[in-house]
Amino acid sequence: MFTPERPYRCAPSVALRPEPFGALAYDFATRRLSFLKTPALVEVVRTLGDHPDVHTALGSAAVPPAEHAAYLRALAGLADTGLIEPRPGQEEAA
């Protein structure tokens, strides 16, 4: 289950290819291709591993607060498909 209060990262098997609309995300493990439809979403996914949680990554990418819910839904979908994953060694708080 996607929990934005936890730290995430782009899965190691995923490569991002910049495109004018955002990026193509290709998972070499599953051979799944996904479209990241905005440059800001690409920035969030690319830098997730640098932040203590998803909310901080959204702020760092200058995603307007009014758009956070939409980005969280998009990131939840990416987590469901395995393109992003919780950072290893980060236990969920009880």
Side-chain angles (χ1 to χ4, degrees):
M1 183 169 148
F2 179 69
T3 308
E5 292 76 24
R6 295 184 64 196
Y8 278 78
R9 69 177 185 176
C10 187
S13 60
V14 173
L16 298 176
R17 185 175 91 183
E19 294 290 341
F21 58 81
L24 294 174
Y26 183 74
D27 188 332
F28 286 93
T30 64
R31 302 176 81 184
R32 175 173 286 196
L33 181 65
S34 297
F35 296 89
L36 304 182
K37 297 179 182 177
T38 69
L41 182 57
V42 176
E43 180 67 12
V44 171
V45 169
R46 192 178 62 73
T47 63
L48 274 174
D50 299 335
H51 299 286
D53 57 54
V54 175
H55 297 292
T56 305
L58 291 172
S60 178
V63 174
E67 296 178 16
H68 281 203
Y71 276 76
L72 291 174
R73 284 191 301 274
L75 291 165
L78 295 175
D80 286 345
T81 61
L83 289 172
I84 65 170
E85 62 185 21
R87 277 203 320 250
Q90 304 292 320
E91 299 301 320
E92 188 169 357

